[in-house]
């Protein structure tokens, strides 16, 4: 998939979504924050993990738009 050329469309159509993963203290087990993770929910391919598109966005200087 050509992530770079489809990125603007994905942003404009809401295909890029934020998912929040809790950060937990090891000893207490208490949640102390969250990490935001981007997922690309493509209508054709389904949910695309960040490992498949983040590097392309960084290489093409588009990561700031994320």
């Amino acid at each position: 998939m050509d992530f770079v050329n489809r990125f603007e469309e994905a942003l404009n159509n809401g295909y890029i979504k934020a998912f929040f993963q809790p950060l937990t203290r090891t000893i207490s087990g208490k949640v102390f924050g969250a990490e935001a993770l981007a997922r690309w929910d493509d209508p054709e391919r389904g949910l695309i993990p960040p490992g498949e598109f983040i590097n392309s966005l960084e290489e093409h200087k588009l990561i700031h738009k994320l």
Side-chain angles (χ1 to χ4, degrees):
M1 180 171 178
D2 186 5
F3 295 114
V4 173
N5 289 327
R6 297 192 60 199
F7 181 61
E8 289 292 331
E9 174 192 357
L11 279 178
N12 293 335
N13 291 319
Y15 300 156
I16 308 286
K17 300 179 185 203
F19 288 74
F20 297 93
Q21 179 173 317
L23 298 174
T24 310
R25 299 229 183 266
T26 310
I27 295 173
S28 67
K30 292 184 180 182
V31 174
F32 67 93
E35 175 182 25
L37 304 169
R39 297 286 189 269
W40 188 319
D41 192 7
D42 187 79
E44 296 172 13
R45 290 189 54 197
L47 208 55
I48 302 168
E52 290 189 35
F53 64 90
I54 294 290
N55 287 341
S56 293
L57 297 180
E58 287 175 341
E59 289 173 15
H60 290 88
K61 311 282 190 256
L62 295 170
I63 197 70
H64 69 280
K65 293 184 175 188
L66 186 60

